[in-house]
Structure formats: structure tokens, C-alpha cells
Amino acid sequence: MKTLKTLALSAAAGLLAMGGARAADLPLKEKAVQYVRVCSLYGAGFYYIPGTDTCIKLGGYLRADVLANANAVDTGNESGAGGANNRFTNGYTWRSREDLNVDTRTATEYGLVRTYFDARFTWTDDTYSGTGKGSTVYSQIGSTGVSAPNNANAGAVAGGTLGVYYAFIQFAGFTIGKAVSAFSTPWHNYPGNNFDGLVGGGGTDTGVNQFTYTVEFGQGISASISAQDQTAYYQAGVNNLAVPGTFGYGTSDYAGSGAPDIVGQVRVDQAWGLFQASVAEHDNHAAYYGATEPSGHPDDVWGWAGQLGLSIKNIPTGARDTINVEGVYTDGATRYNIQDLAASAGAATVYGSSSVAYQSVGFGFAPDTVFGPGGSQQLIQTWGMRGAYTHNWNPAWNSSIYGAYAAVRYNNTAKALMCGPGGTVLVHLTAGSTCDPDYNIAQLGFITRWTPVKNLTFSADLTWIHLDQRYAGFFEAVSTALAKPATDYELKNQDTVLLLFRAQRNW
């Protein structure tokens, strides 16, 4: 028995030794690593970039637009094939877009460092245009191939566009890069609408290069001073009337960039709403009177713009209902009223019917300045307003009614150059016609939005545009485009209507 007991204990000891050896060979269980950590410092959606103290947020949307009775999405129908109102005017124009934005933020001993980038990938239908020989061509926007004739497979032409909307750095009160102008209100050119071409105030919804400093005084009060690039979005034209152009309005004659626009802003943003006052100085820097340096050039002339904006929140008609309004005056700085996405309203040529001529036509052009041979630049004055009232029927449905107005005025010297004896516009009119380049643009719209689930919205936006021009009589067209014959056209006010359907998923 003693011998058996000794053998059993020896065997048990051996098994325990073997088990311990095998256990020693197994890897130890490591502590779980959190590769992506939530960053709660700047709101929902931020995460720490692994291995850093920088937080990042990705966002964007996918949007599909269909616009009825227009050749552009969605800037107006006052020029080109859209304004021709013939078989070159699109019954619909389709656009699909994907937006991507990247927001990074880092807390430092000097304060927050923020970068923001927003780019949009877009495919938009284009327009067929006539060759003047009884055939047409189709040039797809952003296509990488050659224009396809109308009897070819135009859809085989690959293309699309990439737009860099915002790309800026913010640090210690400074904003450096491409961002919305400090002149614009927080709703930019959208007080309650989807329609892009609303006149009556500042724009740059797609951003403008700038160097801006903002001071926060507390209680929602702030002030900003900015130098911003004018070349891409704030030049409406310095028109040389000595160079043949559209209907006697001359041709824009900019020199290289001179001085940036200087913008100032004061804002009060509190629970009740918002008030903002903005001003801008704009340098009109023209090139030469003629083809060479000895022809001379007009001196620079500075224009300016001023704007007031007001937003009232949670008005008695319902929770989250809002009223947004603004008014603007410009003198030689037209783009601060007829903003960049409303440019067709500043170069309007709209055809319509007539009971006394082949057809009628309405003109409205709004450059920053005009000048004649050896003369000085004449500033163009404009004033305008826009606004919207938005009512929330329930959490899923809301509607807005919106409107805008812009008036364009030429001074007496400019009118003499264009409408006096031998004037550049007068020579295109029949005897006895009234020559006056002043005009007004009025816009009125209604939009309804349905959000069945969070971040998915369907909307329909109807916009009426009225061109109130001051010419009367007949315009003698010697040569035209868009299949219009060379004949007399009655000078007449014009109207157009657009309808935008949109589906958008934010993420």
C-alpha cells in the first residue's frame, strides 16, 4: 500500500508539472486597446485621431435635383438658352451631387486650432446649342471628351465636376483660407429657399479666399474685419463701352488683381435671433482703353456696399418658426447685391411673345462700372432686399414663402454714353424708341419640405422671376444666337417660372 501511494503521488506531481509547463507556453491575455475614442469636447460626431490629441469629424450629404423649365441648377432662367424660351430651353435639368466635409480641432495652449474642408462632386445636365447650320452640339459640363453631336451617344462622354467650397484654418480669432464672406449673413443667400439665384444681398455660399480677424465680446456680440479676394466672386464687370459687346453694353476690361476687398461686420447673435451690419470696400481696377499701353487706362475707382440683416426666432406662429430679412445698397460693388449665384440676373436677356413683332425681349445688365474712350469709370448703383418666413407645421413638415428685389441704376454720364446721340445702346434701337438701361428684378417663391426620417428631406421649390426693364420700342437685332433671327424685337418686361425638386440625405 505504501508503495502504491508513493507511485500515485509521484504521478500526480508529474501531471501538475506538465500542466504548468504548458500553461507557461500560452501567451498572456493583453489589455484591450481602444483604437477609436469618442471626442466629446466639440459635440456629437467627433473622434480622436489615433495617437493624437486632435479630434476629427466627417460629414456631408448626397443630393439629387431636378429642375423644370431651366438650363441651370438652380441659379435662374434669365440668360442663354434658358432665357431664349425656344427649343433650346431645357424642359428639365438634372443634377446629382455628393458633398464631403472634414472638420478637425485641437486644443492648444494658445487656444483652439481648427481646420475645415468641404468638397462637392457633381454631375449636371448641360445644354444643346446650335451650330448655325441646322445641327446642334451637346457639351457636357466637366466632360473629359469632345462635344458629342445630337445624333451621337452624348451619354458616353464621361465627366462631372469637383468643387472645393471651403478650405480654411481658424486660430486665435483668425480665419485664413476659403470660407463664407464676413459680409454675408449666417443664412448666406438662403433665408428660407433652395433656389440659388436669390438677389438682394451677399452670397459666396461656395466660399471666398480671405484673411479675417474676429473678436468675441461675450453675450453673442462679435466684430470682424476681413481682406478677401474679389476676382472669383465679386467682380460684376468694368465694361469698356468702346469694345463691341452684348447689345451695346461693352465688354468687361479688368486688369490684373489690384487690391482685395475690405469687409467689416458687427453681429449680435442671441436666443431671440440675430442682427448684423456689414460694409465692404471694392476696388474697380480696369485695364486699357485699347489694345496697347499707349492707349491709356482709366484710374481705379473704389466702390462700396452696406448691408443690414435681421433674424427673429421662435415667433408666436409656432416653435422653431423664423423670419430672416436683409437689405443692401451698393455703389460700384454690384456682387454684394446681385450675388455670384444670381449672376444671370445681372446679365439678363429674356425672350417672350409679342403681338406687334416677331418676338419680344427684355434686357438687364449690372456691371460694377462702365467707361467710354478716354473717360473715367462710372459707378453703377444698386439696392435690394430679400427675406423669408418659415413655418413648421409639425416635426416632419415645414414651408417657407420668400421674396427678393434688386434695383439697378446708371448715372447720367453712363446713360449719355449708352443712350445719348450715337450711344452704344441707342444705335441698336429703332427710331422713336426709349433708351434707359435702368431695370429691376423681382423674385417670389414658395417651398415645402418633408423630413420623414432624420436627415432625409424631400422638397419642392417654385420660383417666379420678373424682369422690369425701362426700354420701350424695338431692338434691331443684326446677328443673334440661339436660333433667333436677325429682325426687330419688341422691348418688353419678361417673366419666367422655375420648379426645383430635391431629395437630400445628410450624414
Side-chain angles (χ1 to χ4, degrees):
M1 288 293 297
K2 185 177 180 179
T3 302
L4 290 174
K5 185 176 180 180
T6 301
L7 288 173
L9 291 173
S10 299
L15 289 172
L16 289 172
M18 291 175 62
R22 289 174 181 170
D25 292 337
L26 293 176
L28 296 175
K29 185 177 181 181
E30 297 182 359
K31 185 178 180 180
V33 177
Q34 185 179 4
Y35 291 99
V36 179
R37 292 185 297 139
V38 173
C39 175
S40 58
L41 299 175
Y42 312 110
F46 282 91
Y47 297 87
Y48 283 101
I49 298 175
T52 75
D53 57 357
T54 296
C55 299
I56 187 171
K57 180 180 180 180
L58 302 180
Y61 62 78
L62 194 146
R63 173 189 295 171
D65 289 342
V66 179
L67 187 73
N69 190 43
N71 290 61
V73 181
D74 180 27
T75 56
N77 210 20
E78 302 104 302
S79 62
N85 287 314
N86 63 10
R87 295 184 69 83
F88 286 120
T89 304
N90 285 350
Y92 68 88
T93 297
W94 211 306
R95 180 173 69 184
S96 297
R97 167 174 289 173
E98 171 62 40
D99 174 272
L100 171 65
N101 58 68
V102 183
D103 189 349
T104 71
R105 306 188 191 190
T106 307
T108 74
E109 61 269 31
Y110 300 102
L112 179 69
V113 177
R114 183 194 183 197
T115 68
Y116 189 83
F117 173 79
D118 184 286
R120 301 176 189 185
F121 305 84
T122 305
W123 174 271
T124 308
D125 290 349
D126 208 336
T127 298
Y128 281 97
S129 58
T131 63
K133 302 176 182 178
S135 61
T136 60
V137 293
Y138 179 86
S139 301
Q140 174 58 47
I141 297 173
S143 67
T144 56
V146 179
S147 299
N150 64 340
N151 60 346
N153 183 8
V157 181
T161 58
L162 169 62
V164 177
Y165 279 34
Y166 308 129
F168 60 83
I169 299 170
Q170 289 181 319
F171 174 66
F174 291 96
T175 298
I176 307 167
K178 196 167 186 280
V180 174
S181 170
F183 187 87
S184 298
T185 56
W187 54 87
H188 313 163
N189 39 302
Y190 304 95
N193 50 296
N194 283 347
F195 174 64
D196 292 325
L198 213 59
V199 299
T204 61
D205 183 64
T206 58
V208 60
N209 282 325
Q210 62 188 269
F211 189 96
T212 302
Y213 181 69
T214 300
V215 178
E216 300 282 353
F217 298 105
Q219 296 184 333
I221 303 173
S222 64
S224 299
I225 184 73
S226 177
Q228 67 181 30
D229 176 33
Q230 65 161 264
T231 57
Y233 302 107
Y234 283 99
Q235 291 181 340
V238 290
N239 284 15
N240 186 347
L241 297 176
V243 181
T246 304
F247 312 121
Y249 284 84
T251 301
S252 188
D253 189 22
Y254 279 108
S257 59
D261 285 7
I262 306 300
V263 176
Q265 176 218 97
V266 176
R267 179 181 292 176
V268 178
D269 189 354
Q270 297 175 342
W272 61 266
L274 174 143
F275 172 79
Q276 177 177 312
S278 309
V279 294
E281 291 283 332
H282 175 79
D283 179 32
N284 293 291
H285 186 57
Y288 299 99
Y289 293 116
T292 60
E293 294 173 350
S295 66
H297 63 82
D299 293 335
D300 285 18
V301 178
W302 281 81
W304 68 278
Q307 176 178 267
L308 297 176
L310 177 67
S311 177
I312 303 176
K313 303 176 182 177
N314 296 318
I315 58 179
T317 55
R320 298 182 295 114
D321 287 7
T322 59
I323 295 176
N324 295 325
V325 294
E326 60 194 287
V328 64
Y329 179 85
T330 75
D331 188 10
T334 299
R335 281 289 174 264
Y336 289 94
N337 180 358
I338 303 175
Q339 45 93 11
D340 52 297
L341 294 180
S344 62
T349 304
V350 185
Y351 291 87
S353 61
S354 173
S355 60
V356 297
Y358 170 72
Q359 286 181 356
S360 63
V361 65
F363 297 125
F365 288 80
D368 289 322
T369 72
V370 297
F371 61 91
S376 59
Q377 297 188 72
Q378 303 300 312
L379 299 176
I380 309 302
Q381 291 79 40
T382 80
W383 62 270
M385 61 184 70
R386 64 183 174 212
Y389 162 64
T390 300
H391 174 63
N392 292 273
W393 305 100
N394 56 50
W397 289 87
N398 72 61
S399 299
S400 300
I401 184 169
Y402 62 89
Y405 187 86
V408 179
R409 299 293 181 262
Y410 289 71
N411 64 25
N412 290 335
T413 302
K415 288 183 177 180
L417 290 168
M418 302 170 71
C419 295
T424 58
V425 173
L426 185 65
V427 298
H428 294 284
L429 308 183
T430 62
S433 296
T434 299
C435 183
D436 186 346
D438 294 349
Y439 76 101
N440 309 307
I441 285 280
Q443 300 166 326
L444 183 65
F446 181 79
I447 180 173
T448 292
R449 304 176 183 89
W450 175 47
T451 305
V453 296
K454 185 179 179 180
N455 294 328
L456 176 65
T457 300
F458 301 91
S459 61
D461 189 354
L462 179 68
T463 308
W464 167 72
I465 302 172
H466 176 68
L467 171 62
D468 173 25
Q469 50 97 63
R470 300 298 180 88
Y471 294 110
F474 297 89
F475 169 74
E476 295 180 316
V478 177
S479 62
T480 60
L482 300 168
K484 298 296 183 181
T487 187
D488 290 352
Y489 292 81
E490 181 188 7
L491 292 161
K492 186 179 176 183
N493 297 344
Q494 303 292 335
D495 298 275
T496 185
V497 177
L498 318 171
L499 179 59
L500 171 66
F501 296 99
R502 171 171 293 173
Q504 180 167 317
R505 171 71 162 95
N506 298 332
W507 57 274

